Structure formats: C-alpha cells, structure tokens
Amino acid sequence: GWGKNGAFILSNFKHAERKKETEHHRQWFLNQNFPFVQQARGHFEGQGDLITTNSAYLLGYGTRTSLDFGDELKHALTLDNPLIQLELVDPAFYHLDTCLFSWRTINVVMYYPGAFTNEGISKLKQLPLTLIEVTRKEALTFVCNSVYYKKTALLSGASERLLRLFRNMGCHTSVITSAQDIATFFTSYNTNGNVPTVISLPVPTELMKGGGSYRCCSLFLD
C-alpha cells in the first residue's frame, strides 16, 4: 500500500494470487493505530507503483495499477505536490519501482526510458530534478528497485558506469560483492555522514526470481 501522515491506502491487487495478502496488511496497520486504513477500490499495487520525489508524486499505471486510481488517491488523501501519472509499456517492468528509483535526499531520479511512453519521459524531464538514464541491461539487474536511507543509497548490482556518474555528482561509492560481506560492512558503516554514498549490493538472485529486488521487500512510511 501507500501512506502519508499516518494514513494508509491498502493495495487492491490485480491478480488473485496476491489478493489474500491485503487482510494481513490491514490488520498490521490497524494494530499500529494508523488513523485511516482504506482499501483502494480500483487496482492499486502500493509503493510498487507510487513513488515520491521532492516535487511530485509519480504513479505508474497500465500493467498492474489502473489509470483511474489517480483520481481516487487525490480524493482520499491530501497531497502537497502534483500527482503525475506515467504509463508503463514494457511487461518486464510491471511496477514503477522496477524501472524508476527516486533518491529524495539529493533530488535524483534514476530510470529506464524503455519502460515509458515518450509522453511519460517528457513529463519526467519537466520536473526540477536530476535524471539518470539506465540501459536495459542495467535495468534488468533491477538497479532501479533499490532503496535509500538519508544520504546512503543501496543499489542492486550497480554498474561501473552508474557508479562513475554518481562519483561525478560528488558521491562516494562502495561495492559489496557477496552476500556474506553485507552484514560485516554495515556493522561499522555510519549512515549519518555528510557526503552522499552509493553502495552497490549484490544482485539478490532469489528475489529476482519473483521479479524484484531490495525495494520489493521494503515499505517506506513517510
């Protein structure tokens, strides 16, 4: 689902295989005393298709989430920025978060152009943020299905080309090559440093069998 200021709209999954998840999610949010928990009426697949930038909310539609959910969202929650709807056109990138990553701390969006229409790309280019295009080969590692915390971005199998682009923007970069090294690295890593840092993590091959990476097993609560 997706939440703002404590309120939460639950997903309404398109496919039967996932519909039973919703009740478990509803009970968790009620137990956490969220003031508003409502299931979407139209098809809506949560943060997979709704991503926040500093200047707009981006809603992916056309594969899982329905176009008309945008109107429902605007009526249900008070949004403090425009809602921009982006049609997804490549079945390999079925959710917005498989082809677009927003790192709000430094106002950067990384995206795969082949997943969008020309109109959608034009909408992105009109936003006041820094855009980084990824290639299809890079996108298929689900590098856009990544997460960040403050000034640290954790990318799924970032290529040397992408790491070089971030270094040119003034970011530090690190590469972790094996799953065994992840815990060791973060035991001593300071996430409160002043310089933005990009960490390339190993591609999670088991998660990728289900069609996603690190963000697919995360939920941001603004």
Side-chain angles (χ1 to χ4, degrees):
W2 189 81
K4 178 176 169 52
N5 298 329
F8 201 82
I9 296 184
L10 289 168
S11 295
N12 179 9
F13 291 105
K14 181 176 181 179
H15 297 294
E17 289 83 354
R18 297 200 64 184
K19 286 184 178 293
K20 292 183 179 179
E21 297 176 29
T22 300
E23 186 56 32
H24 296 284
H25 302 156
R26 183 199 311 278
Q27 288 302 318
W28 188 88
F29 282 100
L30 291 175
N31 291 340
Q32 302 304 313
N33 297 315
F34 274 65
F36 178 85
V37 179
Q38 171 183 310
Q39 185 175 1
R41 294 188 298 274
H43 288 142
F44 170 56
E45 302 219 348
Q47 287 186 5
D49 273 331
L50 185 53
I51 294 178
T52 304
T53 72
N54 289 332
S55 54
Y57 300 99
L58 306 179
L59 179 67
Y61 73 91
T63 304
R64 301 284 183 88
T65 294
S66 55
L67 174 61
D68 57 7
F69 175 74
D71 291 332
E72 182 181 344
L73 176 66
K74 286 185 280 190
H75 282 97
L77 297 179
T78 300
L79 303 180
D80 48 10
N81 277 315
L83 179 69
I84 296 176
Q85 301 188 89
L86 303 170
E87 184 179 5
L88 302 178
V89 295
D90 186 333
F93 303 98
Y94 57 96
H95 278 160
L96 184 61
D97 71 355
T98 64
C99 52
L100 186 146
F101 168 69
S102 170
W103 187 4
R104 293 171 62 186
T105 310
I106 63 171
N107 202 36
V108 164
V109 161
M110 185 169 60
Y111 76 109
Y112 168 52
F116 302 92
T117 63
N118 289 335
E119 179 184 6
I121 294 172
S122 177
K123 290 178 181 178
L124 287 174
K125 289 183 175 180
Q126 292 175 28
L127 295 175
L129 45 77
T130 300
L131 290 175
I132 296 177
E133 295 186 5
V134 306
T135 66
R136 184 174 182 83
K137 181 178 180 181
E138 291 166 338
L140 287 172
T141 69
F142 286 112
V143 69
C144 293
N145 193 251
S146 296
V147 296
Y148 74 92
Y149 176 70
K150 297 182 179 179
K151 290 188 175 182
T152 301
L154 307 173
L155 303 188
S156 174
S159 68
E160 177 54 36
R161 184 189 75 88
L162 288 173
L163 294 176
R164 184 168 60 251
L165 287 175
F166 279 109
R167 285 195 294 269
N168 291 341
M169 294 168 56
C171 299
H172 287 169
T173 62
S174 296
V175 177
I176 299 177
T177 56
S178 70
Q180 290 82 1
D181 293 335
I182 293 177
T184 302
F185 180 90
F186 283 104
T187 298
S188 59
Y189 178 68
N190 177 14
T191 60
N192 295 310
N194 292 323
V195 179
T197 300
V198 175
I199 301 172
S200 176
L201 297 180
V203 175
T205 52
E206 293 302 307
L207 277 175
M208 286 182 67
K209 292 176 182 177
S213 187
Y214 296 106
R215 182 175 166 96
C216 278
C217 55
S218 306
L219 179 68
F220 287 83
L221 298 174
D222 291 341

